[in-house]
Structure formats: structure tokens, C-alpha cells
Amino acid sequence: MDRLKDKVAIITGAAGGIGRVAAELFVKEGAKVVLADKDSENGAKAAKEICALSPNSAIFFPLDVTDKQSWGQCIEQTLNTFGKLNILINNAGVSFRETVEETTMESWQTTLAVNQTGVFLGIQSALEVMKTNGEPCAIVNTASVDGLRGDSVFFAYCATKAAVEAMTKCAALCCAENSWPIRVNAVAPGYILTPMAYEDARQNGQTIEEYCAESVKLHPIGHLGKPEDIAYAYLYLASDEASFVTGTTLAVDGGYTCR
């Protein structure tokens, strides 16, 4: 408890899946949280449910991560409500099951806009307020094992997640070189049982049971990850416990990248 006491966080993609679980975990650890997502219905519902457990601990903002103006409005709402910003979790993402030959311009541009441009705009927008608030701050980006290893059937997704790892290092160096009190790291999840997994199974013409049976074989630990596994990695990197950690990508992948 209280690992994030008196800190304020924005978590993107927080209407469901890993982001939703992370938002609740962060509140339990003492943070105030802005749940940011394009899904207004489920995002507002999630914020309401969290506040029922911990009053005045969370709000929802209808964020389009691909739009700079939307980011500015989200930051402004965060400051107006909670007075500061200490943590940004760039969790939102999309995926299309397509090889390089199959990738369309539409899916390519959508994937880059959300997974890469969205992370860029989030980092840039957060830096403006974090670098002057006088408190330790942290940015955590969501990479992927597919960015570390590659996968032929996720061409655009792999490209953007590899870019996230590089952007994480560059942003971390920029903050350190300017003596800003901001650490920047990334988490690279393995296959996690989330709504994205269900969508991937659908795109591949599989039931979720077939998808899980096939995916488990890729992880030496013998099972898929849970959203909580990634949420706790976010928590560590966002907390002061990781005060000497910046510019790194933490693989939370059940041994996937060991092979």
C-alpha cells in the first residue's frame, strides 16, 4: 500500500484490459488516476466503479491519443482536477494480424497513429508539465515482445513496438541530460489474456480456447499472462522504488524472449 501515495497518474487505454486493472491498482497504492480512453462508455463506468471503492480518486477523460489537442485537454483536465501530474502510462494500443504482404495502408497508418504517434504525443505533452513540477516523475510506455523478437504475422505492430523501445531510450536520455526529474521506461508484455487477445483470435479465425492453447506453447512458463502481471510492472517502474531505472525495457513475458 501507498507505493504511489500523493502521486497523480494518467493511464491511456484504461477503459478495459490492462489499463483498467492498472488504474485500480494505482488507486489502491495511493494515486489519483485519470482513466483516458476513446471508449467513453466503459471508461466512465470504470472511473465510477473505482471511485465507489475510493471516493474522488479517479476521473475519466475521452482521449484520442493520436490528436495533440486532445492530449493538451487531457493534461489540462488533470491539472484542474488533481493539481499536478507525476506519472504517465502510455498503455493504449491496436494490433492487426497481417504480414508485410497483407498490410494495407489503412491498417499501417492506424497502427502507427495509435502505437507510435500516440506514445510520442503522450511523452511530449507530459514532459511540459512534469519537468517543472519539482517532484519525481515517471513515464512508462508499452512495448511488446513482438518488438523485441519480431513476428511475421504482425508486421505493423512489431514495427511500432520496436519504435516504442527506441523512443523510450531517447526520451530517457533527453530527460537525464536536461536534469529533469523524469524517468522513462517501457514494459514489453508477452501474450496477455485481454480483450486484444480475443480480437486477435477472431482475426485468426480461432476460438479463444484454440488461441490460448497455441499461444501458451510460446511461453516456457506454461501459461499466458494476466493483466495484473503487467499492471504490477507498471507500478514498479512508476514508483520511487525504481528511482535508478531509466531508459530500459522490462520484458514481462513468461520466458518468451529467452528462446
Side-chain angles (χ1 to χ4, degrees):
M1 298 293 289
D2 292 338
R3 294 168 72 183
L4 300 180
K5 185 178 180 181
D6 298 326
K7 294 185 182 292
V8 176
I10 294 173
I11 302 177
T12 69
I18 295 168
R20 168 68 174 80
V21 171
E24 186 167 339
L25 175 62
F26 277 31
V27 167
K28 287 180 180 178
E29 292 291 343
K32 304 292 186 183
V33 177
V34 177
L35 288 81
D37 202 297
K38 286 204 305 182
D39 184 349
S40 294
E41 181 179 353
N42 288 315
K45 180 182 177 183
K48 183 177 180 180
E49 290 172 351
I50 290 174
C51 284
L53 300 173
S54 180
N56 303 314
S57 61
I59 63 170
F60 170 71
F61 186 87
L63 174 67
D64 177 356
V65 297
T66 70
D67 183 75
K68 185 174 180 63
Q69 182 177 2
S70 186
W71 269 108
Q73 293 167 343
C74 183
I75 298 287
E76 182 179 11
Q77 183 65 57
T78 301
L79 299 180
N80 288 341
T81 304
F82 296 125
K84 61 180 180 178
L85 176 64
N86 303 101
I87 298 164
L88 169 63
I89 309 295
N90 276 314
N91 169 75
V94 295
S95 174
F96 296 93
R97 181 178 278 268
E98 296 171 334
T99 67
V100 61
E101 185 178 30
E102 298 163 339
T103 299
T104 66
M105 281 303 300
E106 181 181 6
S107 61
W108 173 258
Q109 290 172 345
T110 297
T111 306
L112 262 66
V114 175
N115 294 1
Q116 188 171 347
T117 301
V119 171
F120 155 61
L121 291 175
I123 295 172
Q124 188 178 67
S125 300
L127 288 182
E128 287 302 309
V129 294
M130 286 181 169
K131 66 186 182 182
T132 58
N133 78 357
E135 298 181 10
C137 296
I139 296 172
V140 184
N141 303 318
T142 305
S144 172
V145 293
D146 284 342
L148 299 174
R149 290 280 301 274
D151 190 320
S152 64
V153 298
F154 293 107
F155 178 72
Y157 183 77
C158 291
T160 58
K161 292 304 183 176
V164 166
E165 184 181 9
M167 291 192 299
T168 296
K169 294 179 184 296
C170 294
L173 286 171
C174 179
C175 292
E177 290 165 0
N178 284 281
S179 299
W180 297 333
I182 308 165
R183 295 178 297 101
V184 187
N185 292 289
V187 174
Y191 285 40
I192 311 298
L193 192 55
T194 65
M196 184 179 283
Y198 281 81
E199 173 59 17
D200 186 25
R202 186 196 66 77
Q203 290 182 25
N204 202 36
Q206 296 175 301
T207 66
I208 191 61
E209 291 77 16
E210 291 169 336
Y211 173 88
C212 289
E214 182 180 285
S215 300
V216 163
K217 297 175 185 178
L218 302 173
H219 300 75
I221 203 168
H223 59 83
L224 297 188
K226 305 183 299 296
E228 290 81 0
D229 296 321
I230 308 306
Y232 273 104
Y234 290 162
L235 173 62
Y236 166 66
L237 291 173
S239 74
D240 292 339
E241 295 166 11
S243 62
F244 197 55
V245 182
T246 195
T248 195
T249 298
L250 174 61
V252 184
D253 65 356
Y256 183 102
T257 52
C258 289
R259 290 177 169 172

